[in-house]
Amino acid sequence: MFSKKFRNFLLFGGIAAIFAAVGYWNISPERFLDKPPVSAAENPIDWYATNTHTIQYLPDGKVQYEMTSDKAEHVKATDVTLVTKPDLNMYRGTDFPWHVTSERGEVNSGGTEVELIDSVRVQRTDEKQRGTLITSTRMTVFPQQEYAQTAQPVRIEGAGGVSTGVGMKAYLKDSRIHLQSNVRGQYEAR
């Protein structure tokens, strides 16, 4: 019916028309894919500060907690403050604070919750010079409630022994610590 030359012309003409349409409407395969997650470039820092120092007082004028950090960056979109090398002393109105440190941290908008990340250390020496050290990779601290928790593995050194477990709830005001699971302990006999 049609000559071979005419069929080739129609075939190549159709392909050229498709390419022209794609170019004209700028249809690209990426338009049909899901949007990528929001990157740091799309979540701009609206302010930052270096060598920060924050003090929160109790209603009676005593220091509740004091926090320093190497750097603080506020993310406008989430209202979260990212801190580098946070160092928190939770006095609870006493002379023997809980000393909390980590490599990084995230503070929520009201300052009521601090997520500590990497090399988390919580330590205290009481009035009888007995030391307690809690270490983990990640921990959430609630300074106003004087409470800390984690779902990560935890190591507690103090009272003549070492305890390990997975998950912890620490009531810092009362110096009570509850390990959630896989609890192991090793203690010195006196």
Side-chain angles (χ1 to χ4, degrees):
M1 290 205 223
F2 294 112
S3 71
K4 187 175 180 182
K5 208 176 200 186
F6 184 71
R7 280 186 291 175
N8 284 342
F9 176 76
L10 284 179
L11 177 68
F12 289 120
I15 291 173
I18 290 173
F19 278 123
V22 168
Y24 179 76
W25 284 295
N26 196 17
I27 298 173
S28 63
E30 291 80 23
R31 293 182 71 183
F32 300 104
L33 299 175
D34 291 334
K35 296 279 184 197
V38 177
S39 69
E42 295 170 6
N43 244 349
I45 304 296
D46 60 342
W47 62 259
Y48 76 93
T50 58
N51 299 321
T52 64
H53 185 216
T54 306
I55 299 176
Q56 174 73 35
Y57 292 96
L58 293 168
D60 64 2
K62 293 181 181 177
V63 176
Q64 181 178 14
Y65 69 86
E66 181 177 9
M67 184 171 132
T68 61
S69 69
D70 288 353
K71 186 175 185 179
E73 299 174 308
H74 184 261
V75 179
K76 185 177 183 177
T78 60
D79 201 18
V80 169
T81 303
L82 309 173
V83 291
T84 305
K85 299 271 190 195
D87 190 326
L88 175 69
N89 282 306
M90 295 176 52
Y91 286 95
R92 311 168 340 272
T94 69
D95 294 328
F96 303 99
W98 283 94
H99 185 209
V100 182
T101 61
S102 71
E103 292 298 313
R104 300 180 295 122
E106 297 177 1
V107 182
N108 73 347
S109 62
T112 58
E113 185 177 325
V114 180
E115 182 73 23
L116 301 169
I117 305 163
D118 297 331
S119 302
V120 179
R121 296 174 54 91
V122 180
Q123 57 190 7
R124 176 177 183 242
T125 302
D126 65 11
E127 56 275 351
K128 296 180 181 176
Q129 299 303 312
R130 295 177 296 195
T132 302
L133 173 63
I134 306 168
T135 55
S136 185
T137 57
R138 192 174 188 108
M139 190 177 300
T140 306
V141 177
F142 301 87
Q144 279 81 16
Q145 288 84 23
E146 298 171 22
Y147 172 76
Q149 68 182 21
T150 185
Q152 303 299 315
V154 177
R155 178 181 173 93
I156 303 171
E157 299 174 30
V162 175
S163 298
T164 59
V166 176
M168 176 199 73
K169 293 182 178 183
Y171 303 90
L172 303 174
K173 184 175 186 175
D174 305 327
S175 297
R176 287 185 301 129
I177 302 168
H178 297 275
L179 294 173
Q180 305 296 171
S181 65
N182 297 335
V183 179
R184 303 267 189 253
Q186 180 178 0
Y187 298 91
E188 292 178 17
R190 292 184 183 199

